[in-house]
Amino acid sequence: MNEKYLLKLQQDMQLKNFTTNTCKDYYRFVKRFLDFTNKDAMSITYADIRRFIFHMKDNENKKASTINVYTAAIRFFFEYTLGYVWDSKKIPKMKRDRKLPVILTREQVNMLIDSMDNYKHKAITATMYSSGLRVSEVCHLHYEDIRRNQMMIHVPLSKNRQDRYTILSVRNLEILTEYWYRYNRPRGWLFPGMGGNEPLTNAAVERFIKSHVRKLGLPEDVSPHTMRHCFACHALEDGVSYTFIQQLLGHRSPKSTDVYLQMTSKALMGIRSPFDTFKQEENGGSDNDK
């Protein structure tokens, strides 16, 4: 019924130069919404969108962040593909719960990486942690992105469609070099998938990280992205500039980096409670107590 509109949606996203993943997600979300309404796209109303949102919220228990992504896809479809004017007062953006992610200690990160028998898995995990990479970024690294002479990693066209450089750890370079020799010296994708012509998928990294985390008895919420969180927090604790961390992570907005200020060890950052600054009497009391 709505094939012509879905085709135009794909063309509109290409004109906006969306990433491949965004195009796939938006197409899938809009198609699901259209299937839910079972109506011609041009006859859909705000009431239909609200009904779909309540269905996801109440019947499927979708998180606010997930619903907001669906809403963004539908809004793009309405504005660009159908040519409607979007009224954000009728479809407000949902407030999200801001839960802090899990942060592992340095000892736990070392245990996670050092205990990996599969050297490819070890190299991927070490690179995510030591350079603060997203899982999609580490999967799409090429051999030439490892700049050994400058001790940097080139991250091409990341989530925000911008190139950046991040640091290359000496210890991680040793792991990457050993991996490269063990795995047939890949010259294209640094971490190729099964066929060799495509990069390893995000899902594959998610699976082996989750499996190893369960084996070690680490918190079940640990994911590939946890490595990036740990990099930022541990760097802050070591006194690395907040601005430098923002640049290394590739955050366009400082607000994206703010969360790490909440999760770092205050003791390691040299922050003390004012309660601990009171001068204590040598015997724990005043002369009047004697």
Side-chain angles (χ1 to χ4, degrees), residues 118 120-121 183 189 191-201 204 207:
N118 185 309
K120 185 175 185 178
H121 296 175
Y183 283 77
W189 297 111
F191 301 112
M194 293 295 292
N197 296 324
E198 296 293 330
L200 197 65
T201 64
R207 283 193 297 271

Side-chain angles (χ1 to χ4, degrees), residues 176-235:
L176 284 172
T177 303
E178 180 67 22
Y179 153 74
W180 191 73
Y181 280 110
R182 289 192 186 195
Y183 283 77
N184 301 318
R185 306 181 184 189
R187 285 283 182 174
W189 297 111
L190 184 60
F191 301 112
M194 293 295 292
N197 296 324
E198 296 293 330
L200 197 65
T201 64
N202 296 2
V205 178
E206 180 88 24
R207 283 193 297 271
F208 79 67
I209 289 282
K210 288 288 189 182
S211 174
H212 202 66
V213 161
R214 285 193 296 270
K215 188 186 302 183
L216 296 178
L218 293 171
E220 61 180 16
D221 290 340
V222 171
S223 69
H225 209 66
T226 302
M227 299 299 101
R228 179 171 161 90
H229 294 321
C230 291
F231 164 83
C233 289
H234 296 166

Side-chain angles (χ1 to χ4, degrees), residues 113 119-134 137-139 141 146 153-155 164 166-169 171-173 175-177 179 190-191 224 227-228 231:
I113 295 171
Y119 222 86
K120 185 175 185 178
H121 296 175
K122 176 181 288 196
I124 291 170
T125 309
T127 303
M128 286 190 293
Y129 170 66
S130 64
S131 300
L133 298 186
R134 299 178 178 94
E137 293 170 345
V138 75
C139 287
L141 287 176
I146 307 300
I153 294 180
H154 174 236
V155 186
R164 78 175 191 277
T166 186
I167 56 175
L168 173 61
S169 152
R171 182 180 170 195
N172 188 47
L173 178 57
I175 294 174
L176 284 172
T177 303
Y179 153 74
L190 184 60
F191 301 112
M227 299 299 101
R228 179 171 161 90
F231 164 83

Side-chain angles (χ1 to χ4, degrees), residues 23-286:
C23 289
K24 288 180 180 178
D25 288 342
Y26 272 33
Y27 180 89
R28 180 163 49 91
F29 296 159
V30 171
K31 186 178 187 306
R32 180 160 183 258
F33 166 67
L34 293 174
D35 291 342
F36 175 85
T37 62
N38 197 28
K39 294 171 65 175
D40 180 80
M42 296 301 292
S43 65
I44 289 173
T45 65
Y46 284 111
D48 295 318
I49 303 175
R50 292 169 68 94
R51 186 163 56 90
F52 180 59
I53 290 174
F54 278 115
H55 172 77
M56 290 192 292
K57 181 177 184 294
D58 298 332
N59 296 358
E60 299 181 2
N61 295 318
K62 297 282 190 188
K63 295 180 180 178
S65 56
T66 302
I67 294 175
N68 284 340
V69 177
Y70 269 90
T71 302
I74 296 169
R75 175 173 183 167
F76 181 87
F77 179 68
F78 260 51
E79 288 187 322
Y80 288 88
T81 304
L82 302 182
Y84 288 164
V85 176
W86 183 265
D87 188 347
S88 57
K89 292 183 179 179
K90 293 182 179 178
I91 310 293
K93 189 175 181 180
M94 295 186 71
K95 292 287 188 181
R96 295 185 300 159
D97 294 332
R98 298 280 184 176
K99 291 185 64 178
L100 295 176
V102 172
I103 297 297
L104 299 178
T105 65
R106 297 164 198 254
E107 292 74 22
Q108 288 174 318
V109 172
N110 271 315
M111 178 178 67
L112 175 66
I113 295 171
D114 289 346
S115 61
M116 287 180 166
D117 296 327
N118 185 309
Y119 222 86
K120 185 175 185 178
H121 296 175
K122 176 181 288 196
I124 291 170
T125 309
T127 303
M128 286 190 293
Y129 170 66
S130 64
S131 300
L133 298 186
R134 299 178 178 94
V135 61
S136 59
E137 293 170 345
V138 75
C139 287
H140 286 84
L141 287 176
H142 288 82
Y143 169 78
E144 60 269 19
D145 290 324
I146 307 300
R147 307 294 171 85
R148 294 160 180 79
N149 292 334
Q150 295 87 10
M151 292 305 291
M152 297 189 302
I153 294 180
H154 174 236
V155 186
L157 292 180
S158 60
K159 179 181 176 182
N160 297 323
R161 300 193 67 84
Q162 61 183 11
D163 279 356
R164 78 175 191 277
Y165 285 94
T166 186
I167 56 175
L168 173 61
S169 152
V170 173
R171 182 180 170 195
N172 188 47
L173 178 57
E174 294 172 355
I175 294 174
L176 284 172
T177 303
E178 180 67 22
Y179 153 74
W180 191 73
Y181 280 110
R182 289 192 186 195
Y183 283 77
N184 301 318
R185 306 181 184 189
R187 285 283 182 174
W189 297 111
L190 184 60
F191 301 112
M194 293 295 292
N197 296 324
E198 296 293 330
L200 197 65
T201 64
N202 296 2
V205 178
E206 180 88 24
R207 283 193 297 271
F208 79 67
I209 289 282
K210 288 288 189 182
S211 174
H212 202 66
V213 161
R214 285 193 296 270
K215 188 186 302 183
L216 296 178
L218 293 171
E220 61 180 16
D221 290 340
V222 171
S223 69
H225 209 66
T226 302
M227 299 299 101
R228 179 171 161 90
H229 294 321
C230 291
F231 164 83
C233 289
H234 296 166
L236 273 174
E237 291 170 353
D238 288 342
V240 178
S241 164
Y242 174 90
T243 303
F244 285 156
I245 291 173
Q246 179 188 341
Q247 293 173 350
L248 293 173
L249 293 176
H251 285 161
R252 284 190 296 187
S253 170
K255 292 182 180 179
S256 300
T257 318
D258 284 347
V259 64
Y260 300 117
L261 293 173
Q262 295 292 327
M263 297 185 297
T264 52
S265 168
K266 309 308 178 190
L268 287 177
M269 292 179 71
I271 301 173
R272 290 194 302 162
S273 166
F275 191 56
D276 291 334
T277 63
F278 291 122
K279 184 178 180 179
Q280 300 295 317
E281 296 291 335
E282 185 176 351
N283 294 325
S286 66

